[in-house]
Amino acid sequence: MSEAARRYRLCQFCIDREGPGTHFDEVDGPSCSVCSGLFDRIPQAVEGAASQMRRYQFRSFTVGMTLPEGIQEKEDELRSALRLKGSETVKTQAVRLFAVLLAKKVRKPVNKLKPDLTLLVGMSDGSSSVTTRPLFYYGRYTKPPGMSQRRELCRHCSGAGCEKCSGTGYGSRQSVEWHLRRRLGAIAGSDRMTFTWMGTEDLESRVLAPGRPFIAELKNPLRRVLPKRFASRFRGKQVSVDRGRLLVSRPLRVPPFRFRTLITCTSRTAIHPDRIHELGKRFRRADVRFDRPHNRPVTKTVYSAKGSARGRRLIVEAVLDGGLPVKRFISGELVSPSVSEVLKTEVRCRSFDICEVRERGSFTYAEVTRI
Ligand SMILES: [Zn+2]
Ligand SMILES: [Zn+2]
């Protein structure tokens, strides 16, 4: 045994890692010059981790670990003193052994690239914490009139949080978002959610089947199975979701879409039937320009627009590109050509319903997502 090696007394685990080729005196874990018994404490920490993980639904997991202070430095010292490379680091070995034991205990495999669950264990006290990969739930909602899409800020504090809103910053009126949060949150056991909406409508708009697409990101969920359809009712109003499914990861890009809408309007003067006919002809795959406020102008397509008028009341059924505001398309405010422009009279939108939203293309994802 070399003189330098004599200064180190290692446990079985550390000998396995630093050897072979160098002889060390083998000692019990707590007397080990490098790990001070780290490896002996792993089985108990695994028990603790497994009981933490019990309330989560997951198919695979990965382990992250922090070692007690000084262990990695002691290993570095030993390796440079004895010019050893070792087969792996003390941390890699500890994580590997921990994960093997844990996989047996919870009967789930390790997946480092895309785990459902990530366990972080602090080996100084053996405590662990769990986070889970977010869920990306795609669905389509339908809604009745008199309900907004997004939850509204509290009107007393404008979102800062006050007594009236119990510090949430949001008002108590029901919205599509409120319903989705309530139901999806309860099903998945997630209290943090963000929404991506494919377009929006008015408070008074109905959204009819098959509904408007949305994506809900559910953070740190307890459960990972969500229903394809559900309905949420509250005070006589209902929001329904259909075509629900989980996306593989966060989409990089949401596809463009077009929508069919039924618009109820009033005009300043009675409309001549010839003008109604002109409306259908003018808006057949027509480009319209939208001068977006505080943004660059865009060109959108109006695929069709059919009108029927009785006196000053006008109904328009139109198929529009997503992002073209219905009310402005009617009034002509910042949009040209518009229904008002073609009918040569001032027309106002009273209300509009969303009859169909159709995606054009598919979602785009990153090649590999590392979390
Ligand atoms: Zn050791
Ligand atoms: Zn408030």
Side-chain angles (χ1 to χ4, degrees), residues 9-56:
R9 292 142 62 82
L10 303 185
C11 74
Q12 173 80 66
F13 294 98
C14 292
I15 291 174
D16 283 353
R17 188 179 66 249
E18 306 303 349
T22 311
H23 181 81
F24 291 102
D25 279 342
E26 186 181 327
V27 290
D28 283 346
S31 315
C32 175
S33 312
V34 171
C35 77
S36 311
L38 171 79
F39 292 95
D40 297 344
R41 300 199 303 275
I42 284 180
Q44 206 189 339
V46 165
E47 290 292 326
S51 84
Q52 285 241 9
M53 286 154 77
R54 206 160 289 143
R55 56 199 210 102
Y56 292 89

mmCIF file of all heavy atoms in Angstrom, residues 9-56:
data_model
loop_
_atom_site.group_PDB
_atom_site.id
_atom_site.type_symbol
_atom_site.label_atom_id
_atom_site.label_comp_id
_atom_site.label_asym_id
_atom_site.label_seq_id
_atom_site.Cartn_x
_atom_site.Cartn_y
_atom_site.Cartn_z
ATOM 1 N N ARG A 9 -9.079 5.868 4.532
ATOM 2 C CA ARG A 9 -9.792 4.642 4.880
ATOM 3 C C ARG A 9 -11.194 4.786 4.293
ATOM 4 O O ARG A 9 -11.904 5.741 4.602
ATOM 5 C CB ARG A 9 -9.850 4.492 6.402
ATOM 6 C CG ARG A 9 -8.472 4.221 7.025
ATOM 7 C CD ARG A 9 -8.306 4.937 8.341
ATOM 8 N NE ARG A 9 -9.267 4.492 9.354
ATOM 9 C CZ ARG A 9 -9.138 3.393 10.108
ATOM 10 N NH1 ARG A 9 -8.073 2.629 9.964
ATOM 11 N NH2 ARG A 9 -10.041 3.064 11.002
ATOM 12 N N LEU A 10 -11.524 3.852 3.430
ATOM 13 C CA LEU A 10 -12.773 4.011 2.668
ATOM 14 C C LEU A 10 -13.777 2.897 2.943
ATOM 15 O O LEU A 10 -13.402 1.779 3.307
ATOM 16 C CB LEU A 10 -12.480 4.028 1.158
ATOM 17 C CG LEU A 10 -11.511 5.083 0.629
ATOM 18 C CD1 LEU A 10 -11.459 5.010 -0.893
ATOM 19 C CD2 LEU A 10 -11.917 6.475 1.066
ATOM 20 N N CYS A 11 -15.038 3.207 2.704
ATOM 21 C CA CYS A 11 -16.095 2.194 2.815
ATOM 22 C C CYS A 11 -16.129 1.371 1.527
ATOM 23 O O CYS A 11 -15.511 1.735 0.521
ATOM 24 C CB CYS A 11 -17.448 2.853 3.075
ATOM 25 S SG CYS A 11 -18.135 3.674 1.622
ATOM 26 N N GLN A 12 -16.877 0.299 1.579
ATOM 27 C CA GLN A 12 -17.016 -0.606 0.438
ATOM 28 C C GLN A 12 -17.386 0.143 -0.856
ATOM 29 O O GLN A 12 -16.799 -0.067 -1.915
ATOM 30 C CB GLN A 12 -18.118 -1.620 0.789
ATOM 31 C CG GLN A 12 -18.522 -2.535 -0.346
ATOM 32 C CD GLN A 12 -17.525 -3.663 -0.508
ATOM 33 O OE1 GLN A 12 -17.403 -4.518 0.392
ATOM 34 N NE2 GLN A 12 -16.816 -3.671 -1.619
ATOM 35 N N PHE A 13 -18.347 1.048 -0.745
ATOM 36 C CA PHE A 13 -18.852 1.766 -1.929
ATOM 37 C C PHE A 13 -17.768 2.655 -2.537
ATOM 38 O O PHE A 13 -17.614 2.713 -3.757
ATOM 39 C CB PHE A 13 -20.064 2.632 -1.547
ATOM 40 C CG PHE A 13 -21.253 1.819 -1.125
ATOM 41 C CD1 PHE A 13 -21.521 1.604 0.222
ATOM 42 C CD2 PHE A 13 -22.100 1.260 -2.075
ATOM 43 C CE1 PHE A 13 -22.615 0.851 0.617
ATOM 44 C CE2 PHE A 13 -23.197 0.505 -1.690
ATOM 45 C CZ PHE A 13 -23.451 0.292 -0.336
ATOM 46 N N CYS A 14 -17.048 3.343 -1.668
ATOM 47 C CA CYS A 14 -16.026 4.265 -2.177
ATOM 48 C C CYS A 14 -14.834 3.488 -2.744
ATOM 49 O O CYS A 14 -14.224 3.926 -3.722
ATOM 50 C CB CYS A 14 -15.609 5.240 -1.076
ATOM 51 S SG CYS A 14 -16.961 6.376 -0.648
ATOM 52 N N ILE A 15 -14.521 2.324 -2.148
ATOM 53 C CA ILE A 15 -13.451 1.481 -2.715
ATOM 54 C C ILE A 15 -13.835 1.014 -4.115
ATOM 55 O O ILE A 15 -13.046 1.094 -5.051
ATOM 56 C CB ILE A 15 -13.165 0.265 -1.792
ATOM 57 C CG1 ILE A 15 -12.506 0.762 -0.492
ATOM 58 C CG2 ILE A 15 -12.260 -0.756 -2.503
ATOM 59 C CD1 ILE A 15 -12.318 -0.331 0.540
ATOM 60 N N ASP A 16 -15.084 0.563 -4.258
ATOM 61 C CA ASP A 16 -15.577 0.106 -5.572
ATOM 62 C C ASP A 16 -15.382 1.191 -6.632
ATOM 63 O O ASP A 16 -15.072 0.906 -7.782
ATOM 64 C CB ASP A 16 -17.077 -0.213 -5.505
ATOM 65 C CG ASP A 16 -17.326 -1.550 -4.819
ATOM 66 O OD1 ASP A 16 -16.336 -2.256 -4.539
ATOM 67 O OD2 ASP A 16 -18.503 -1.862 -4.551
ATOM 68 N N ARG A 17 -15.578 2.412 -6.212
ATOM 69 C CA ARG A 17 -15.546 3.513 -7.159
ATOM 70 C C ARG A 17 -14.114 3.975 -7.453
ATOM 71 O O ARG A 17 -13.756 4.222 -8.597
ATOM 72 C CB ARG A 17 -16.373 4.675 -6.593
ATOM 73 C CG ARG A 17 -16.594 5.828 -7.544
ATOM 74 C CD ARG A 17 -17.441 6.901 -6.888
ATOM 75 N NE ARG A 17 -16.749 7.533 -5.781
ATOM 76 C CZ ARG A 17 -17.056 7.407 -4.506
ATOM 77 N NH1 ARG A 17 -18.075 6.650 -4.136
ATOM 78 N NH2 ARG A 17 -16.349 8.012 -3.572
ATOM 79 N N GLU A 18 -13.283 4.102 -6.413
ATOM 80 C CA GLU A 18 -11.943 4.663 -6.611
ATOM 81 C C GLU A 18 -10.951 3.612 -7.108
ATOM 82 O O GLU A 18 -10.018 3.939 -7.824
ATOM 83 C CB GLU A 18 -11.406 5.296 -5.319
ATOM 84 C CG GLU A 18 -12.318 6.343 -4.676
ATOM 85 C CD GLU A 18 -12.695 7.512 -5.593
ATOM 86 O OE1 GLU A 18 -12.100 7.644 -6.672
ATOM 87 O OE2 GLU A 18 -13.616 8.262 -5.213
ATOM 88 N N GLY A 19 -11.146 2.350 -6.685
ATOM 89 C CA GLY A 19 -10.267 1.276 -7.122
ATOM 90 C C GLY A 19 -10.643 0.861 -8.516
ATOM 91 O O GLY A 19 -11.388 1.583 -9.152
ATOM 92 N N PRO A 20 -10.228 -0.238 -9.104
ATOM 93 C CA PRO A 20 -9.243 -1.129 -8.472
ATOM 94 C C PRO A 20 -7.821 -0.637 -8.751
ATOM 95 O O PRO A 20 -7.635 0.371 -9.416
ATOM 96 C CB PRO A 20 -9.535 -2.438 -9.186
ATOM 97 C CG PRO A 20 -10.005 -2.021 -10.553
ATOM 98 C CD PRO A 20 -10.672 -0.685 -10.392
ATOM 99 N N GLY A 21 -6.861 -1.381 -8.277
ATOM 100 C CA GLY A 21 -5.464 -0.999 -8.540
ATOM 101 C C GLY A 21 -4.831 -0.354 -7.337
ATOM 102 O O GLY A 21 -3.632 -0.441 -7.132
ATOM 103 N N THR A 22 -5.652 0.294 -6.539
ATOM 104 C CA THR A 22 -5.107 0.905 -5.337
ATOM 105 C C THR A 22 -5.710 0.168 -4.144
ATOM 106 O O THR A 22 -6.901 -0.109 -4.139
ATOM 107 C CB THR A 22 -5.494 2.389 -5.260
ATOM 108 O OG1 THR A 22 -5.207 2.972 -6.516
ATOM 109 C CG2 THR A 22 -4.725 3.108 -4.166
ATOM 110 N N HIS A 23 -4.880 -0.138 -3.192
ATOM 111 C CA HIS A 23 -5.423 -0.825 -2.028
ATOM 112 C C HIS A 23 -5.767 0.174 -0.941
ATOM 113 O O HIS A 23 -5.007 1.065 -0.620
ATOM 114 C CB HIS A 23 -4.422 -1.851 -1.492
ATOM 115 C CG HIS A 23 -4.977 -2.569 -0.306
ATOM 116 N ND1 HIS A 23 -5.847 -3.625 -0.427
ATOM 117 C CD2 HIS A 23 -4.814 -2.345 1.012
ATOM 118 C CE1 HIS A 23 -6.199 -4.036 0.768
ATOM 119 N NE2 HIS A 23 -5.584 -3.276 1.686
ATOM 120 N N PHE A 24 -6.966 0.043 -0.421
ATOM 121 C CA PHE A 24 -7.385 0.890 0.695
ATOM 122 C C PHE A 24 -7.824 -0.002 1.846
ATOM 123 O O PHE A 24 -8.330 -1.101 1.625
ATOM 124 C CB PHE A 24 -8.594 1.759 0.303
ATOM 125 C CG PHE A 24 -8.282 2.827 -0.697
ATOM 126 C CD1 PHE A 24 -8.625 2.654 -2.037
ATOM 127 C CD2 PHE A 24 -7.648 3.998 -0.310
ATOM 128 C CE1 PHE A 24 -8.362 3.637 -2.967
ATOM 129 C CE2 PHE A 24 -7.382 4.986 -1.246
ATOM 130 C CZ PHE A 24 -7.730 4.815 -2.577
ATOM 131 N N ASP A 25 -7.665 0.507 3.063
ATOM 132 C CA ASP A 25 -8.252 -0.165 4.213
ATOM 133 C C ASP A 25 -9.755 0.041 4.162
ATOM 134 O O ASP A 25 -10.220 1.160 4.003
ATOM 135 C CB ASP A 25 -7.723 0.444 5.525
ATOM 136 C CG ASP A 25 -6.352 -0.117 5.858
ATOM 137 O OD1 ASP A 25 -6.001 -1.183 5.294
ATOM 138 O OD2 ASP A 25 -5.638 0.519 6.656
ATOM 139 N N GLU A 26 -10.472 -1.076 4.291
ATOM 140 C CA GLU A 26 -11.930 -0.947 4.253
ATOM 141 C C GLU A 26 -12.471 -0.703 5.654
ATOM 142 O O GLU A 26 -12.112 -1.404 6.595
ATOM 143 C CB GLU A 26 -12.567 -2.201 3.639
ATOM 144 C CG GLU A 26 -14.061 -2.024 3.457
ATOM 145 C CD GLU A 26 -14.746 -3.265 2.878
ATOM 146 O OE1 GLU A 26 -14.128 -3.988 2.074
ATOM 147 O OE2 GLU A 26 -15.910 -3.486 3.255
ATOM 148 N N VAL A 27 -13.345 0.295 5.758
ATOM 149 C CA VAL A 27 -13.946 0.602 7.063
ATOM 150 C C VAL A 27 -15.460 0.694 6.904
ATOM 151 O O VAL A 27 -15.980 0.722 5.783
ATOM 152 C CB VAL A 27 -13.419 1.949 7.625
ATOM 153 C CG1 VAL A 27 -11.963 1.833 8.029
ATOM 154 C CG2 VAL A 27 -13.630 3.078 6.613
ATOM 155 N N ASP A 28 -16.161 0.776 8.017
ATOM 156 C CA ASP A 28 -17.611 0.983 7.980
ATOM 157 C C ASP A 28 -17.904 2.386 7.454
ATOM 158 O O ASP A 28 -17.098 3.303 7.633
ATOM 159 C CB ASP A 28 -18.216 0.859 9.381
ATOM 160 C CG ASP A 28 -18.322 -0.610 9.793
ATOM 161 O OD1 ASP A 28 -18.181 -1.477 8.895
ATOM 162 O OD2 ASP A 28 -18.510 -0.862 10.999
ATOM 163 N N GLY A 29 -19.086 2.536 6.862
ATOM 164 C CA GLY A 29 -19.504 3.810 6.268
ATOM 165 C C GLY A 29 -19.172 5.052 7.079
ATOM 166 O O GLY A 29 -18.483 5.956 6.584
ATOM 167 N N PRO A 30 -19.623 5.130 8.332
ATOM 168 C CA PRO A 30 -19.415 6.375 9.093
ATOM 169 C C PRO A 30 -17.942 6.768 9.240
ATOM 170 O O PRO A 30 -17.627 7.945 9.412
ATOM 171 C CB PRO A 30 -20.025 6.053 10.458
ATOM 172 C CG PRO A 30 -21.040 5.002 10.176
ATOM 173 C CD PRO A 30 -20.465 4.176 9.064
ATOM 174 N N SER A 31 -17.018 5.808 9.131
ATOM 175 C CA SER A 31 -15.595 6.134 9.261
ATOM 176 C C SER A 31 -14.937 6.427 7.917
ATOM 177 O O SER A 31 -13.734 6.690 7.852
ATOM 178 C CB SER A 31 -14.838 4.964 9.913
ATOM 179 O OG SER A 31 -15.543 4.484 11.018
ATOM 180 N N CYS A 32 -15.706 6.378 6.824
ATOM 181 C CA CYS A 32 -15.133 6.549 5.481
ATOM 182 C C CYS A 32 -14.602 7.972 5.298
ATOM 183 O O CYS A 32 -15.288 8.952 5.595
ATOM 184 C CB CYS A 32 -16.194 6.238 4.429
ATOM 185 S SG CYS A 32 -15.642 6.559 2.743
ATOM 186 N N SER A 33 -13.353 8.054 4.810
ATOM 187 C CA SER A 33 -12.705 9.360 4.643
ATOM 188 C C SER A 33 -13.404 10.243 3.623
ATOM 189 O O SER A 33 -13.255 11.463 3.652
ATOM 190 C CB SER A 33 -11.264 9.194 4.161
ATOM 191 O OG SER A 33 -10.591 8.242 4.906
ATOM 192 N N VAL A 34 -14.121 9.633 2.677
ATOM 193 C CA VAL A 34 -14.762 10.442 1.643
ATOM 194 C C VAL A 34 -16.230 10.712 1.967
ATOM 195 O O VAL A 34 -16.662 11.863 2.062
ATOM 196 C CB VAL A 34 -14.635 9.781 0.245
ATOM 197 C CG1 VAL A 34 -15.497 10.524 -0.781
ATOM 198 C CG2 VAL A 34 -13.179 9.788 -0.212
ATOM 199 N N CYS A 35 -17.019 9.644 2.152
ATOM 200 C CA CYS A 35 -18.472 9.847 2.185
ATOM 201 C C CYS A 35 -19.066 9.894 3.583
ATOM 202 O O CYS A 35 -20.244 10.254 3.726
ATOM 203 C CB CYS A 35 -19.161 8.781 1.345
ATOM 204 S SG CYS A 35 -19.248 7.178 2.171
ATOM 205 N N SER A 36 -18.312 9.528 4.599
ATOM 206 C CA SER A 36 -18.811 9.532 5.981
ATOM 207 C C SER A 36 -20.136 8.769 6.146
ATOM 208 O O SER A 36 -20.989 9.172 6.935
ATOM 209 C CB SER A 36 -18.986 10.956 6.510
ATOM 210 O OG SER A 36 -17.846 11.720 6.275
ATOM 211 N N GLY A 37 -20.312 7.737 5.342
ATOM 212 C CA GLY A 37 -21.511 6.904 5.519
ATOM 213 C C GLY A 37 -22.693 7.316 4.674
ATOM 214 O O GLY A 37 -23.822 6.885 4.919
ATOM 215 N N LEU A 38 -22.438 8.139 3.664
ATOM 216 C CA LEU A 38 -23.517 8.587 2.763
ATOM 217 C C LEU A 38 -24.339 7.412 2.223
ATOM 218 O O LEU A 38 -25.560 7.427 2.235
ATOM 219 C CB LEU A 38 -22.890 9.363 1.596
ATOM 220 C CG LEU A 38 -23.818 9.721 0.439
ATOM 221 C CD1 LEU A 38 -24.663 10.929 0.812
ATOM 222 C CD2 LEU A 38 -23.028 10.005 -0.836
ATOM 223 N N PHE A 39 -23.622 6.377 1.769
ATOM 224 C CA PHE A 39 -24.315 5.271 1.095
ATOM 225 C C PHE A 39 -25.189 4.456 2.044
ATOM 226 O O PHE A 39 -26.192 3.898 1.635
ATOM 227 C CB PHE A 39 -23.298 4.391 0.361
ATOM 228 C CG PHE A 39 -22.673 5.121 -0.793
ATOM 229 C CD1 PHE A 39 -21.468 5.784 -0.650
ATOM 230 C CD2 PHE A 39 -23.329 5.176 -2.017
ATOM 231 C CE1 PHE A 39 -20.910 6.476 -1.710
ATOM 232 C CE2 PHE A 39 -22.777 5.862 -3.084
ATOM 233 C CZ PHE A 39 -21.557 6.531 -2.933
ATOM 234 N N ASP A 40 -24.795 4.436 3.321
ATOM 235 C CA ASP A 40 -25.620 3.719 4.300
ATOM 236 C C ASP A 40 -26.955 4.417 4.522
ATOM 237 O O ASP A 40 -27.912 3.798 4.963
ATOM 238 C CB ASP A 40 -24.887 3.641 5.653
ATOM 239 C CG ASP A 40 -23.597 2.843 5.546
ATOM 240 O OD1 ASP A 40 -23.452 2.119 4.536
ATOM 241 O OD2 ASP A 40 -22.745 2.962 6.442
ATOM 242 N N ARG A 41 -26.984 5.699 4.244
ATOM 243 C CA ARG A 41 -28.211 6.460 4.524
ATOM 244 C C ARG A 41 -29.175 6.455 3.336
ATOM 245 O O ARG A 41 -30.292 6.953 3.430
ATOM 246 C CB ARG A 41 -27.855 7.909 4.892
ATOM 247 C CG ARG A 41 -26.967 8.028 6.138
ATOM 248 C CD ARG A 41 -27.023 9.412 6.739
ATOM 249 N NE ARG A 41 -26.636 10.462 5.803
ATOM 250 C CZ ARG A 41 -25.367 10.840 5.588
ATOM 251 N NH1 ARG A 41 -24.384 10.263 6.251
ATOM 252 N NH2 ARG A 41 -25.096 11.794 4.724
ATOM 253 N N ILE A 42 -28.707 5.887 2.220
ATOM 254 C CA ILE A 42 -29.563 5.915 1.029
ATOM 255 C C ILE A 42 -30.870 5.128 1.208
ATOM 256 O O ILE A 42 -31.940 5.654 0.905
ATOM 257 C CB ILE A 42 -28.764 5.464 -0.226
ATOM 258 C CG1 ILE A 42 -27.843 6.610 -0.653
ATOM 259 C CG2 ILE A 42 -29.697 5.073 -1.367
ATOM 260 C CD1 ILE A 42 -26.999 6.325 -1.877
ATOM 261 N N PRO A 43 -30.839 3.886 1.738
ATOM 262 C CA PRO A 43 -32.099 3.133 1.817
ATOM 263 C C PRO A 43 -33.202 3.872 2.574
ATOM 264 O O PRO A 43 -34.357 3.873 2.144
ATOM 265 C CB PRO A 43 -31.690 1.854 2.547
ATOM 266 C CG PRO A 43 -30.247 1.683 2.223
ATOM 267 C CD PRO A 43 -29.692 3.068 2.157
ATOM 268 N N GLN A 44 -32.838 4.556 3.641
ATOM 269 C CA GLN A 44 -33.871 5.265 4.405
ATOM 270 C C GLN A 44 -34.406 6.475 3.625
ATOM 271 O O GLN A 44 -35.609 6.747 3.648
ATOM 272 C CB GLN A 44 -33.312 5.711 5.748
ATOM 273 C CG GLN A 44 -34.430 5.854 6.760
ATOM 274 C CD GLN A 44 -33.988 6.498 8.051
ATOM 275 O OE1 GLN A 44 -32.791 6.498 8.378
ATOM 276 N NE2 GLN A 44 -34.946 7.048 8.766
ATOM 277 N N ALA A 45 -33.503 7.165 2.933
ATOM 278 C CA ALA A 45 -33.940 8.309 2.119
ATOM 279 C C ALA A 45 -34.852 7.837 0.987
ATOM 280 O O ALA A 45 -35.793 8.533 0.593
ATOM 281 C CB ALA A 45 -32.732 9.057 1.570
ATOM 282 N N VAL A 46 -34.577 6.630 0.469
ATOM 283 C CA VAL A 46 -35.424 6.059 -0.584
ATOM 284 C C VAL A 46 -36.828 5.805 -0.043
ATOM 285 O O VAL A 46 -37.828 6.102 -0.708
ATOM 286 C CB VAL A 46 -34.799 4.755 -1.148
ATOM 287 C CG1 VAL A 46 -35.805 3.965 -1.968
ATOM 288 C CG2 VAL A 46 -33.575 5.089 -1.996
ATOM 289 N N GLU A 47 -36.912 5.284 1.180
ATOM 290 C CA GLU A 47 -38.223 5.067 1.815
ATOM 291 C C GLU A 47 -39.004 6.383 1.888
ATOM 292 O O GLU A 47 -40.182 6.439 1.548
ATOM 293 C CB GLU A 47 -38.045 4.534 3.253
ATOM 294 C CG GLU A 47 -37.507 3.116 3.340
ATOM 295 C CD GLU A 47 -38.499 2.089 2.819
ATOM 296 O OE1 GLU A 47 -39.716 2.297 2.985
ATOM 297 O OE2 GLU A 47 -38.036 1.086 2.224
ATOM 298 N N GLY A 48 -38.325 7.420 2.345
ATOM 299 C CA GLY A 48 -38.961 8.733 2.463
ATOM 300 C C GLY A 48 -39.431 9.248 1.108
ATOM 301 O O GLY A 48 -40.548 9.754 0.978
ATOM 302 N N ALA A 49 -38.582 9.090 0.105
ATOM 303 C CA ALA A 49 -38.920 9.550 -1.248
ATOM 304 C C ALA A 49 -40.136 8.799 -1.775
ATOM 305 O O ALA A 49 -41.065 9.389 -2.318
ATOM 306 C CB ALA A 49 -37.733 9.356 -2.169
ATOM 307 N N ALA A 50 -40.136 7.476 -1.585
ATOM 308 C CA ALA A 50 -41.239 6.656 -2.100
ATOM 309 C C ALA A 50 -42.558 7.074 -1.459
ATOM 310 O O ALA A 50 -43.594 7.109 -2.133
ATOM 311 C CB ALA A 50 -40.954 5.181 -1.847
ATOM 312 N N SER A 51 -42.533 7.408 -0.183
ATOM 313 C CA SER A 51 -43.794 7.788 0.443
ATOM 314 C C SER A 51 -44.247 9.176 -0.028
ATOM 315 O O SER A 51 -45.437 9.433 -0.143
ATOM 316 C CB SER A 51 -43.705 7.698 1.976
ATOM 317 O OG SER A 51 -43.160 8.862 2.506
ATOM 318 N N GLN A 52 -43.307 10.046 -0.352
ATOM 319 C CA GLN A 52 -43.660 11.350 -0.951
ATOM 320 C C GLN A 52 -44.295 11.173 -2.324
ATOM 321 O O GLN A 52 -45.164 11.931 -2.729
ATOM 322 C CB GLN A 52 -42.394 12.182 -1.162
ATOM 323 C CG GLN A 52 -41.831 12.776 0.076
ATOM 324 C CD GLN A 52 -41.827 14.290 -0.017
ATOM 325 O OE1 GLN A 52 -42.406 14.868 -0.938
ATOM 326 N NE2 GLN A 52 -41.203 14.924 0.945
ATOM 327 N N MET A 53 -43.801 10.184 -3.058
ATOM 328 C CA MET A 53 -44.250 10.002 -4.438
ATOM 329 C C MET A 53 -45.592 9.291 -4.525
ATOM 330 O O MET A 53 -46.208 9.255 -5.581
ATOM 331 C CB MET A 53 -43.198 9.197 -5.224
ATOM 332 C CG MET A 53 -41.963 10.031 -5.565
ATOM 333 S SD MET A 53 -40.475 9.032 -5.794
ATOM 334 C CE MET A 53 -40.727 8.349 -7.419
ATOM 335 N N ARG A 54 -46.029 8.746 -3.388
ATOM 336 C CA ARG A 54 -47.241 7.926 -3.397
ATOM 337 C C ARG A 54 -48.461 8.678 -3.897
ATOM 338 O O ARG A 54 -49.331 8.107 -4.528
ATOM 339 C CB ARG A 54 -47.490 7.375 -1.983
ATOM 340 C CG ARG A 54 -48.265 6.084 -1.976
ATOM 341 C CD ARG A 54 -48.074 5.342 -0.668
ATOM 342 N NE ARG A 54 -46.739 4.783 -0.528
ATOM 343 C CZ ARG A 54 -46.056 4.733 0.632
ATOM 344 N NH1 ARG A 54 -46.590 5.246 1.730
ATOM 345 N NH2 ARG A 54 -44.857 4.189 0.685
ATOM 346 N N ARG A 55 -48.541 9.985 -3.620
ATOM 347 C CA ARG A 55 -49.752 10.699 -4.022
ATOM 348 C C ARG A 55 -49.729 11.177 -5.479
ATOM 349 O O ARG A 55 -50.680 11.779 -5.962
ATOM 350 C CB ARG A 55 -50.045 11.864 -3.075
ATOM 351 C CG ARG A 55 -48.910 12.846 -2.945
ATOM 352 C CD ARG A 55 -49.064 13.682 -1.684
ATOM 353 N NE ARG A 55 -48.490 15.003 -1.862
ATOM 354 C CZ ARG A 55 -49.214 16.096 -2.099
ATOM 355 N NH1 ARG A 55 -50.510 16.032 -2.175
ATOM 356 N NH2 ARG A 55 -48.624 17.268 -2.262
ATOM 357 N N TYR A 56 -48.621 10.908 -6.171
ATOM 358 C CA TYR A 56 -48.519 11.328 -7.572
ATOM 359 C C TYR A 56 -48.775 10.171 -8.529
ATOM 360 O O TYR A 56 -48.417 9.034 -8.245
ATOM 361 C CB TYR A 56 -47.122 11.885 -7.867
ATOM 362 C CG TYR A 56 -46.848 13.187 -7.174
ATOM 363 C CD1 TYR A 56 -46.310 13.213 -5.894
ATOM 364 C CD2 TYR A 56 -47.129 14.401 -7.800
ATOM 365 C CE1 TYR A 56 -46.056 14.416 -5.247
ATOM 366 C CE2 TYR A 56 -46.882 15.601 -7.175
ATOM 367 C CZ TYR A 56 -46.342 15.606 -5.890
ATOM 368 O OH TYR A 56 -46.098 16.786 -5.265
#
